[in-house]
Amino acid sequence: MPMLNFQNPVRFDFGAVKKLPDALKREGIERPFLVTDRGLRDSGLLDRITDVLDDTSAATIYDGTPGNPTEEAVTEALESYQGNDCDGVVCIGGGSPMDLGKAVALLAVSGGPLAQYDPLQGGNKLVKGIAPLIAIPTTAGTGSEASVGFVISMSDGRKLTYANPLFLPKLAICDPELTLGLPPMLTAATGMDAITHCIEAVLASPVNPPADGIGLDGLWRGWQHIQRAVEDGSDRTARWEMMMASTEGALAFVKGLGAVHSMSHAAGRLKDLRLHHGTLNAVILPTILRFNEDACSDKYLRLRQAMGLPADADLAKEIERLNANIGLPSGLGEMGLSEDLIEDMVPHAVNDLATMTNPKQVSAEDYAELYRIAM
Amino acid sequence: MPMLNFQNPVRFDFGAVKKLPDALKREGIERPFLVTDRGLRDSGLLDRITDVLDDTSAATIYDGTPGNPTEEAVTEALESYQGNDCDGVVCIGGGSPMDLGKAVALLAVSGGPLAQYDPLQGGNKLVKGIAPLIAIPTTAGTGSEASVGFVISMSDGRKLTYANPLFLPKLAICDPELTLGLPPMLTAATGMDAITHCIEAVLASPVNPPADGIGLDGLWRGWQHIQRAVEDGSDRTARWEMMMASTEGALAFVKGLGAVHSMSHAAGRLKDLRLHHGTLNAVILPTILRFNEDACSDKYLRLRQAMGLPADADLAKEIERLNANIGLPSGLGEMGLSEDLIEDMVPHAVNDLATMTNPKQVSAEDYAELYRIAM
């Protein structure tokens, strides 16, 4: 079975979940804290994981993860972790349970409050370590299983990105079997999250050719297979390739991300609208591709090549066409956003970690205009 | 300054050697063992490294590395390491000093003899650890600074590949400044080593898409810049890109290599001929590209794309054309090999670690024929 080891060990293939019991033993985890959400529990996916465990009675299950992980949910989960004397975290799900689990693992060892670890405020110096952590994605996806970061909606309204190599899971178990039942809308949204990661990572300003290579390979796979995965979720090849594109997106975004993510994070804070991170990325991506182009047109050649497009193809139009083909909205307005919300979102986008690595400087005025265009 | 971290930390840019004193401190190395060869000493390149050290008197220099590292030289170097109570290894040079230094670091901590660590004989179980190791390449190159392996010509005549993640240097310092003076012939030969690593890694049988992505990026860079680096060694961009292609080749060959390397290693054992590993790779590569094609023609599409060649380009011919353009021989006969040596080389090629990951099975008869063709 393929074992990839670039940022962290990644067991990748159909049936990989069977590696969980050995992994728990190897990490010395006897009382695992399983972090998931109610949807995964109800769908029966959680059973697929607990079924492989030698002793389910030793595991504590937290299924209260909201759509976007919040500081309140982290606190609630941590209390359960500590109350049950757990000694390791297993995250099962999409980005939310995985990011929430990372936060719990951090606080369990390094102590709260969470906000002190903000990397933009020198918070990484304070990280002592995290509890042993194993990540099992069920979407394709955020790539959080192979990334140094996690994003939490804080109680004060900010959506903060935490990033530190110590946050890497000890093991990622990538089993595409777990995504066979992912419905078309989620397949499309999480698939576009993966594709956006690959694109924004390649365009990001830091110099890191191996990361570019990985991102372009992920883009090549994702672009080829996303529509198939949406139209026929039982296609095992499409599911394998989309999960690989997702993991590769995270390996690539060690470089950082860009304005798409800054804008998505800022919009994702608006709890009532329950906007999906992947869908936001898909909808905003064309606007940012147009905005960034004059700063990195040489990289656009490589993107087109990875996507199998002619050298003069209009990347933004191609993303718009794909979004339409896979049933995603064509604008933020369609998702429930409106221009009156722009004033609230802009400062959060400006301050987002991802803005620092956008290939082009983005001012508050730029973000306001970009939101208007993306409506 | 770019810090890449995929297999191990890699400091990469002009001036990176200045990071050496801090790295020594961080690794707790107070009495470093500098492994190099006489050519590097005579050329003044070694001074460039010792010049940045705070205290050169604490360093021991071993400059007896032969053209291909031998078990005898490892033993001799180890005696000097232990006799001078050294506490860490710094390898400076092409593949030979780097591989010799890795072997010394291994024996210093895990004990001799070297042969017991043969991975094909279960030797990896016996590895306890290695001395702290920092690698500074001066060619572009073997990529040994970012690889888990090293190759030693054993006293019994075998050329053995040792491979273990524990052999990764704690830090690779990739400073293209050190290659500005590399003569055209060595630039061509080591550049083709890098290109061959990228190609053989992509074609290798294990499944590892991130490694493929890195290998294709390295191939893209190497293919574009090798001729320039040969024709004008002072071209800093070409030197930077060739060193990056070299490091990426090693990051990619975590997948393993192939028949080119098996044949090069077997030929490289013949001490009197003093055949350069990179030149051997360059000369043998077209023959193996023809041999392998029907087993992995889908991957050839990606290779052509990375090299900017048309979809129907003849890869083997393109390599032959490049070899001619950069002054490399067109056949093994030109290098001093002859058909009567084939019988001796074939069993070594068959048993080489790299044969296990060639995309197509290679029998002894195949190797004999391949050597004949490559003459």
Side-chain angles (χ1 to χ4, degrees), chain B residues 153-183:
Chain B
S153 297
M154 304 300 286
S155 310
D156 64 4
R158 294 179 301 157
K159 198 159 168 169
L160 278 193
T161 301
Y162 298 85
N164 190 314
L166 291 171
F167 302 161
L168 278 165
K170 284 266 180 276
L171 177 69
I173 293 179
C174 292
D175 188 336
E177 192 86 36
L178 302 176
T179 63
L180 287 175
L182 194 64

Side-chain angles (χ1 to χ4, degrees), chain B residues 45 47 139 169 176 251 275 351:
Chain B
L45 263 181
D47 293 335
T139 61
L251 293 176
L275 302 168
N351 292 326

Side-chain angles (χ1 to χ4, degrees), chain A residues 19-310:
Chain A
K19 303 289 181 186
L20 180 59
D22 279 348
L24 290 169
K25 271 198 201 75
R26 210 168 35 248
E27 296 306 326
I29 303 174
E30 296 181 338
R31 293 173 303 284
F33 189 68
L34 272 47
V35 180
T36 189
D37 60 46
R38 237 151 265 135
L40 271 139
R41 196 163 201 174
D42 295 344
S43 72
L45 263 181
L46 180 62
D47 293 336
R48 303 261 209 101
I49 279 87
T50 50
D51 280 352
V52 306
L53 293 178
D54 298 323
D55 178 14
T56 26
S57 65
T60 302
I61 294 171
Y62 176 82
D63 66 359
T65 310
N68 282 300
T70 59
E71 193 176 3
E72 289 86 0
V74 173
T75 305
E76 180 186 57
L78 181 65
E79 275 167 20
S80 175
Y81 181 98
Q82 292 167 329
N84 286 282
D85 191 34
C86 295
D87 57 359
V89 179
V90 180
C91 320
I92 303 138
S96 295
M98 287 208 288
D99 281 12
L100 194 135
K102 282 175 165 177
V104 170
L106 166 62
L107 298 189
V109 164
S110 298
L114 184 56
Q116 67 184 316
Y117 303 112
D118 182 352
L120 291 174
Q121 306 296 331
N124 274 332
K125 296 193 290 294
L126 305 173
V127 174
K128 300 189 193 79
I130 72 171
L133 174 63
I134 295 170
I136 307 178
T138 60
T139 61
T142 62
S144 190
E145 71 279 2
S147 92
V148 299
F150 61 87
V151 182
I152 303 292
S153 297
M154 305 299 285
S155 310
D156 65 4
R158 294 179 302 157
K159 196 159 169 169
L160 277 194
T161 301
Y162 299 85
N164 189 312
L166 291 170
F167 301 161
L168 279 166
K170 284 269 182 276
L171 178 68
I173 293 179
C174 293
D175 189 336
E177 192 86 36
L178 303 176
T179 63
L180 288 174
L182 193 64
M185 270 306 295
L186 272 176
T187 301
T190 58
M192 285 309 292
D193 196 13
I195 282 173
T196 304
H197 287 154
C198 293
I199 290 176
E200 289 223 286
V202 171
L203 298 182
S205 43
V207 173
N208 192 328
D212 290 338
I214 295 175
L216 289 167
D217 187 88
L219 176 59
W220 177 70
R221 287 170 201 280
W223 190 256
Q224 279 187 73
H225 297 280
I226 185 172
Q227 198 160 335
R228 178 72 182 152
V230 171
E231 291 168 355
D232 181 3
S234 71
D235 186 322
R236 295 168 75 83
T237 297
R239 292 300 196 181
W240 192 104
E241 297 282 359
M242 287 313 300
M243 188 167 265
M244 183 59 75
S246 169
T247 302
E248 288 186 296
L251 293 175
F253 74 56
V254 290
K255 290 179 67 185
L257 290 163
V260 177
H261 271 75
S262 297
M263 292 174 69
S264 293
H265 287 156
R269 288 166 46 259
L270 307 168
K271 291 198 184 120
D272 305 333
L273 293 173
R274 301 171 60 91
L275 302 168
H276 190 279
H277 173 69
T279 311
L280 284 166
N281 281 342
V283 171
I284 294 168
L285 179 58
T287 299
I288 297 306
L289 282 171
R290 290 185 176 103
F291 176 77
N292 279 343
E293 181 161 18
D294 57 13
C296 48
S297 54
D298 55 330
K299 288 188 173 179
Y300 279 48
L301 294 172
R302 300 194 81 191
L303 295 179
R304 287 185 198 101
Q305 198 185 54
M307 293 152 81
L309 299 170

